[in-house]
Amino acid sequence: MSTIVPHYKTVKQLLQGESFAIDEYQREYKWESKHIGELLTDLTGKFRSSYKDADGTSAVSNYDEYFLGSIIVSKRNGKNYLIDGQQRVTSLTLLLIHLFRECELRKLGVTSILAPLIFSDNYGRQQFNIDIPERAAVIDALFNGKVFNPDGEDESVKTMYARYQDIAESGLSEELGEGLPHFAYWLLNRVGLIEIAADSDNHAYAIFETMNDRGKPLSPVDMLKAYLLAPITDVEQRKLANDRWKSEVLDLLSFKGQQEEDATFIKAWLRAQYADSIRERKAGSTDRDWEQAGTVFHRWVRDNSNRLQVGNQVSNLTWMNRDFPFYAKAYKRIVTASATYTPGLESVFYNAHNDFTWQPTVLLAPLDPKDDDETVRRKIQATATFLDIWIMRRTVNYVRVGYSTVSYAMYLLCRKIRRKPLGELIDILVTELAEGDDATFEGSESREREGLWAWGINQFSRRYIYHFLARATAFLEHGSGGADNFADLVDRSRKNPFDIEHIMADDYDQFSSQYEDEGTFQEWRNWLPALLLLPADVNRSLQAQPYREKVKVYAGQNLLAASLSGTPYVNRPQFEVLRTVLGLELAPVPSFKRKQIEQRCDVLIRLANVIWSPGRLESLR
């Protein structure tokens, strides 16, 4: 007889000595940056509502609990097969790995409790709680701090690696400070979920289908609609408003083919247009507008009806018939431009490629329902251009731009630019860039080796360096009369995608006369000016060839690579004009030594200051 057993389990109880597998036909791990960001925000917010600076770790046992939902498991052949819950269990594992590594750096005792939740000893071999062979290498690399290159891996592995980067870049450890061990103990013992376990696949899938198809409770979107419809007494008006709302919701849900896209839009809209407070970053603080509009938005609208000017027939009809469709249309425009390289909205695509999750929220902030279509486009373009410059200035200086890290900055920005006319919007954005932090591409005179002078590949900078090289490559090509091929350069789905090429081969013996030790050589080899983008097959073919052979191949590639050879300086008049106008001291490089690398850094700084110039904003007036 088959049994079905539901149990409430803490994270520690769920993962202690357990491992989880998935069937081959299960979908991939697909969480996006926004999902990780929301999880971290919710967890840290709940934790901070209980934590006090003077608390010992034993006080955690009395902190408030947090419920993560339910998972469905089929137990067979001595394994736990996840029928529902893969996304949460995988994300929890990534968070635990990050906490383990951060606590290990601080030599905190909680590491001995964290480790068994990530892996168990299987006759001397590490067996991770995510027991999926294809994913073992990335988990092993993250857990043990090894270098890992996700290029060429399957979708789940790439996504796991990217989401771990999101967690690491979130600033979680720095934000928690002395509360880091408290948070770890709280996560393990006060955060839990319900595990519904069946010893039959048929029963497990029947539970899954029942929970997802039948008796499904009203969603927050449904409840918001019900609240807005309630005071509309005119039968015909009520029907029209309901039909309009349903049509917009269905369009949002089918637009990306993702669940809860309607809720994702509403959260962005309400935060952008109405959030006037945010949770303080101190112990005992509680959620305010910014957080509540991103979680319990249906209750938040009701509780703030006077300030939001809703709650009567006239205002609610305006919300449902004018505002909701207007901002939904703009949101879909932003999402489309995020996925498709669109003339005039290129910066939206750039920011999406940099995985900047807050972009839709911020781009909705300056919009006003009275704006015509062209004004909407220009406001989106201006705000996205600002974000493009702001993001790249920070990332080249190793300043984090993750979801949690910049949440407060994006809240302040939304308030400053909310429903501003285009001219005033641009004034504000230009001022923000001028008066913001001193992050620049060349670094400051007071501190050496900043900006591009210190920017090299590591576990977290790789994707931004790839982005920088793609932008510089596309800029030179387009500026010299060619096509703007940025979208092709970053398309990882193409048959022969572009990869980062190290100009210097990974062979210290070739360069030992120039560099005092291998560590110094690796620093120079991984420095931005010693890198290019090349098609994967060309990259692989070069391998450890010496520079004199590589440069012959570079001659037939994109202009950033070819500029090391003499080829583009002959019969390329537009390239000559571009170099002259921008003052780019590009010239053939017969040998690639320290002096030439430093000269190339100067060129890239000049390029960066043009590509990410605040003057781009002034041109949009």
Side-chain angles (χ1 to χ4, degrees):
M1 181 176 179
S2 188
T3 58
I4 300 170
V5 184
H7 285 298
Y8 178 83
K9 291 186 175 182
T10 65
V11 169
K12 183 178 179 181
Q13 291 168 339
L14 178 73
L15 298 177
Q16 184 86 51
E18 296 283 355
S19 63
F20 294 89
I22 63 169
D23 289 303
E24 292 180 358
Y25 52 82
Q26 281 268 42
R27 69 186 183 126
E28 304 282 356
Y29 174 64
K30 287 182 175 291
W31 262 29
E32 300 175 2
S33 293
K34 65 181 179 183
H35 300 123
I36 285 290
E38 288 171 356
L39 175 66
L40 295 181
T41 298
D42 290 348
L43 288 173
T44 54
K46 191 66 174 178
F47 168 75
R48 285 198 172 280
S49 68
S50 297
Y51 171 72
K52 297 179 179 60
D53 291 339
D55 284 350
T57 52
S58 60
V60 173
S61 62
N62 295 315
Y63 286 6
D64 290 342
E65 293 180 303
Y66 182 86
F67 180 56
L68 270 175
S70 61
I71 64 171
I72 302 172
V73 175
S74 174
K75 294 182 177 289
R76 51 185 160 87
N77 303 324
K79 282 188 176 183
N80 299 310
Y81 284 84
L82 282 166
I83 306 303
D84 184 39
Q86 177 199 167
Q87 311 299 317
R88 268 166 296 165
V89 173
T90 302
S91 301
L92 263 178
T93 299
L94 296 176
L95 175 56
L96 290 171
I97 291 173
H98 176 68
L99 289 173
F100 172 82
R101 294 198 57 77
E102 289 295 313
C103 290
E104 189 176 47
L105 282 174
R106 299 193 194 182
K107 296 181 169 44
L108 299 175
V110 71
T111 53
S112 62
I113 301 172
L114 287 165
L117 308 184
I118 302 166
F119 77 95
S120 56
D121 189 312
N122 185 13
Y123 293 97
R125 180 180 67 86
Q126 284 184 347
Q127 178 175 315
F128 294 102
N129 65 26
I130 303 295
D131 188 16
I132 304 169
E134 296 80 11
R135 305 180 193 181
V138 65
I139 297 175
D140 177 69
L142 297 175
F143 180 73
N144 292 297
K146 301 175 184 176
V147 175
F148 183 81
N149 186 350
D151 291 347
E153 301 288 345
D154 67 26
E155 181 185 353
S156 289
V157 171
K158 289 179 179 177
T159 306
M160 288 172 66
Y161 183 77
R163 296 298 78 81
Y164 184 83
Q165 285 186 306
D166 291 336
I167 296 170
E169 293 174 8
S170 70
L172 177 66
S173 177
E174 292 87 342
E175 180 184 340
L176 292 169
E178 295 301 315
L180 177 62
H182 301 70
F183 179 80
Y185 282 115
W186 176 79
L187 177 67
L188 301 187
N189 298 287
R190 304 298 289 169
V191 176
L193 39 71
I194 293 175
E195 179 191 61
I196 302 173
D199 58 9
S200 157
D201 278 8
N202 289 337
H203 281 78
Y205 279 102
I207 296 166
F208 175 75
E209 290 172 1
T210 300
M211 291 177 66
N212 285 275
D213 293 339
R214 281 178 273 166
K216 192 173 181 179
L218 290 175
S219 71
V221 177
D222 295 327
M223 287 185 276
L224 177 59
K225 182 185 74 169
Y227 169 74
L228 293 173
L229 283 173
I232 302 175
T233 56
D234 183 292
V235 176
E236 184 62 25
Q237 295 271 37
R238 182 186 178 94
K239 181 181 184 304
L240 290 173
N242 183 53
D243 290 346
R244 184 69 184 270
W245 182 279
K246 286 170 61 178
S247 175
E248 293 292 346
V249 165
L250 287 173
D251 197 36
L252 284 163
L253 291 173
S254 62
F255 181 63
K256 285 179 66 178
Q258 294 187 6
Q259 294 181 348
E260 300 184 357
E261 192 65 24
D262 53 346
T264 300
F265 154 66
I266 291 174
K267 292 173 187 179
W269 166 35
L270 296 178
R271 276 172 162 159
Q273 289 291 314
Y274 299 105
D276 282 335
S277 60
I278 190 169
R279 184 181 65 235
E280 296 181 79
R281 294 199 167 193
K282 64 180 183 181
S285 57
T286 57
D287 287 351
R288 305 292 296 280
D289 290 349
W290 189 252
E291 293 78 27
Q292 291 173 4
T295 51
V296 291
F297 56 81
H298 57 295
R299 290 202 293 270
W300 178 76
V301 170
R302 182 193 64 206
D303 294 343
N304 291 272
S305 58
N306 289 336
R307 181 165 64 82
L308 273 56
Q309 297 183 334
V310 293
N312 60 71
Q313 177 167 296
V314 174
S315 60
N316 288 18
L317 284 171
T318 300
W319 262 52
M320 299 185 78
N321 291 331
R322 186 194 70 169
D323 293 5
F324 186 74
F326 171 82
Y327 287 105
K329 180 181 179 182
Y331 175 81
K332 287 180 285 187
R333 189 174 197 169
I334 292 163
V335 172
T336 299
S338 297
T340 305
Y341 201 48
T342 305
L345 295 178
E346 294 90 347
S347 290
V348 179
F349 189 84
Y350 299 149
N351 300 330
H353 180 253
N354 272 328
D355 220 359
F356 191 69
T357 312
W358 285 113
Q359 175 166 247
T361 301
V362 179
L363 299 193
L364 290 177
L367 306 185
D368 188 305
K370 299 183 183 69
D371 291 337
D372 60 31
D373 194 63
E374 177 59 13
T375 301
V376 168
R377 187 196 66 77
R378 293 174 70 187
K379 283 185 175 182
I380 290 174
Q381 182 181 21
T383 311
T385 298
F386 165 84
L387 289 176
D388 176 31
I389 299 167
W390 184 84
I391 290 166
M392 291 307 297
R393 281 185 177 181
R394 292 171 70 88
T395 54
V396 302
N397 286 280
Y398 296 105
V399 181
R400 292 187 175 98
V401 294
Y403 185 92
S404 300
T405 307
V406 303
S407 177
Y408 186 73
M410 294 303 100
Y411 157 73
L412 292 178
L413 180 60
C414 284
R415 290 193 63 185
K416 288 178 182 178
I417 65 176
R418 188 171 290 159
R419 299 201 184 197
K420 291 293 188 285
L422 181 63
E424 187 177 349
L425 170 66
I426 292 174
D427 288 339
I428 292 170
L429 297 176
V430 169
T431 300
E432 284 289 302
L433 290 175
E435 297 181 354
D437 56 45
D438 62 353
T440 65
F441 294 106
E442 57 269 9
S444 61
E445 294 182 2
S446 61
R447 295 189 293 272
E448 295 182 356
R449 306 296 290 184
E450 285 187 334
L452 297 192
W453 290 107
W455 203 33
I457 285 184
N458 61 29
Q459 184 177 358
F460 307 112
S461 65
R462 173 180 286 271
R463 66 176 173 183
Y464 299 114
I465 283 179
Y466 187 103
H467 182 92
F468 183 102
L469 291 170
R471 294 286 292 280
T473 301
F475 179 84
L476 286 179
E477 293 287 344
H478 191 48
S480 300
D484 181 352
N485 62 342
F486 177 80
D488 291 331
L489 291 168
V490 299
D491 182 1
R492 305 304 300 165
S493 66
R494 59 183 292 164
K495 184 177 180 180
N496 188 29
F498 284 80
D499 286 339
I500 294 177
E501 153 76 353
H502 287 75
I503 296 174
M504 292 187 287
D506 191 8
D507 182 2
Y508 176 57
D509 290 340
Q510 284 190 39
F511 304 93
S512 57
S513 62
Q514 302 172 44
Y515 300 94
E516 50 270 32
D517 54 60
E518 185 162 6
T520 303
F521 163 66
Q522 290 294 344
E523 287 180 8
W524 283 73
R525 178 177 179 268
N526 286 301
W527 187 18
L528 176 72
L531 305 171
L532 299 168
L533 286 188
L534 292 179
D537 58 353
V538 177
N539 193 340
R540 287 192 296 268
S541 71
L542 294 176
Q543 294 295 325
Q545 290 186 30
Y547 175 75
R548 65 178 178 274
E549 297 301 324
K550 284 189 171 188
V551 76
K552 297 175 185 177
V553 178
Y554 295 161
Q557 301 300 318
N558 60 73
L559 275 174
L560 188 62
S563 64
L564 291 165
S565 74
T567 301
Y569 303 94
V570 181
N571 298 323
R572 291 294 299 267
Q574 289 176 290
F575 180 51
E576 173 65 24
V577 170
L578 183 69
R579 287 189 298 125
T580 302
V581 170
L582 300 183
L584 299 177
E585 296 183 359
L586 283 168
V589 182
S591 63
F592 201 69
K593 299 181 179 178
R594 289 195 186 197
K595 180 180 178 181
Q596 286 75 29
I597 299 173
E598 288 177 333
Q599 289 173 340
R600 198 162 178 85
C601 188
D602 274 326
V603 171
L604 291 178
I605 288 172
R606 175 63 182 161
L607 265 177
N609 282 324
V610 173
I611 295 170
W612 290 280
S613 168
R616 288 168 54 198
L617 280 168
E618 295 288 1
S619 69
L620 299 178
R621 290 186 185 277

